[in-house]
Structures are given as structure tokens and as C-alpha cells.
């Protein structure tokens, strides 16, 4: 069984469109939220580094949709490490609807590519992925 970092989310009305299903941009927001919660829970040293001069630039995001979800659906957003390079990371995200008696249903799948950078905003340069982040991600490698 693959290991993943899990962020649980209950869909709210504000995340749906006029038709009643979840507006697509929310899937991308949940990717970011999952990544943030991962840092908070698994890599607090990296959060401190972000207060210093580390920057995580999101270079690319995508999401493929398989089924609709609506308000009050319970989701498990599951993040895995897809690729670890010297200065970049790629994450994979599975969006799984979970609920009592319903089992699990994969409703979407996404990816996110992130670059580690350092330096002042006008002279930011690529930087190696911090060892603390590498260590925190090891259990979640695909």
C-alpha cells in the first residue's frame, strides 16, 4: 500500500458553483492547503526556513477530474512525492471522496511542481531542496 500524507476536508457551500458542484479552482487551493499542513505537521524546520530566505515557487499545477463532488462531501486529499531533484520537487495529489458506507471514490488527480529558491526578491536563485524537507518527504515517495 502506498504511503501518503493526508489532509481531510469537508466541502462547503462557498466552494460550489451555481449548479451545486465544486468549482474547479478549489482543487488547486486544496493542493496548496495540503502542502501547507504537511509543512506544519511534518517539517516545521522548513517553515522556520521560509521565514528566513527560503522560497517555494510553484512552477506548474494540474488537475484531472473524474467525478463531481458537492457541498458536505468528505474528501481525503492524499499527497505523495513523485520526483525529488536537486532544486525541485513534484507532488502528486489524489482527491478521494470518503464517507460512511460509500467506500472510497477517486474524484480527481493532480500534480504540482515546486522549485526551491533563495535570496532577495530581485536576485532570487535556485537552491537545493533543504535536507529537513527531503527527510520529511521520504516516507511519502511514490
Amino acid at each position: 500500500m502506498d504511503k501518503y500524507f493526508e489532509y481531510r476536508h469537508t466541502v462547503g457551500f462557498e466552494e460550489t458553483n451555481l449548479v451545486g458542484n465544486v468549482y474547479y479552482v478549489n482543487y488547486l487551493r486544496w493542493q496548496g492547503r495540503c502542502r501547507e499542513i504537511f509543512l506544519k505537521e511534518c517539517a516545521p524546520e522548513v517553515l522556520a526556513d521560509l521565514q528566513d530566505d527560503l522560497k517555494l515557487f510553484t512552477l506548474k499545477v494540474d488537475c484531472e477530474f473524474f467525478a463531481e463532488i458537492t457541498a458536505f462531501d468528505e474528501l481525503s486529499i492524499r499527497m505523495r512525492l513523485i520526483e525529488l531533484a536537486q532544486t525541485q520537487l513534484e507532488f502528486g495529489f489524489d482527491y478521494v471522496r470518503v464517507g460512511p458506507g460509500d467506500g472510497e471514490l477517486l474524484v480527481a488527480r493532480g500534480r504540482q511542481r515546486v522549485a526551491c529558491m533563495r535570496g532577495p526578491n530581485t536576485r532570487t536563485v535556485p537552491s537545493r531542496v533543504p535536507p529537513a524537507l527531503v527527510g520529511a518527504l521520504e516516507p511519502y515517495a511514490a
Side-chain angles (χ1 to χ4, degrees):
M1 181 178 191
D2 289 334
K3 293 191 78 178
Y4 51 81
F5 177 80
E6 179 181 49
Y7 164 63
R8 289 288 196 129
H9 181 75
T10 301
V11 176
F13 284 127
E14 74 278 4
E15 296 170 310
T16 62
N17 58 24
L18 293 173
V19 179
N21 56 7
V22 169
Y23 189 58
Y24 75 93
V25 75
N26 288 298
Y27 290 85
L28 304 182
R29 290 179 49 216
W30 298 333
Q31 281 186 22
R33 183 71 173 153
C34 184
R35 190 175 85 183
E36 291 168 0
I37 298 299
F38 167 80
L39 291 174
K40 178 181 179 266
E41 292 181 5
C42 301
E45 307 90 351
V46 176
L47 286 180
D49 207 3
L50 286 166
Q51 296 295 316
D52 190 17
D53 76 336
L54 176 66
K55 296 167 180 65
L56 299 178
F57 286 3
T58 303
L59 303 175
K60 181 180 179 181
V61 175
D62 69 44
C63 194
E64 184 177 8
F65 306 99
F66 307 122
E68 291 184 349
I69 54 176
T70 59
F72 303 112
D73 279 343
E74 297 284 336
L75 293 179
S76 167
I77 294 98
R78 299 171 180 176
M79 183 181 81
R80 291 180 182 82
L81 176 65
I82 301 296
E83 182 185 353
L84 172 62
Q86 289 186 14
T87 62
Q88 294 185 12
L89 305 154
E90 186 162 340
F91 299 105
F93 296 87
D94 288 341
Y95 302 80
V96 179
R97 186 174 61 207
V98 295
D102 294 340
E104 296 187 347
L105 177 66
L106 180 67
V107 296
R109 181 168 282 146
R111 291 176 89 106
Q112 188 178 106
R113 186 146 195 99
V114 176
C116 295
M117 308 286 278
R118 290 193 185 269
N121 288 339
T122 57
R123 293 187 315 275
T124 305
V125 296
S127 174
R128 289 191 173 271
V129 177
L133 183 53
V134 172
L137 286 167
E138 277 179 1
Y140 307 106

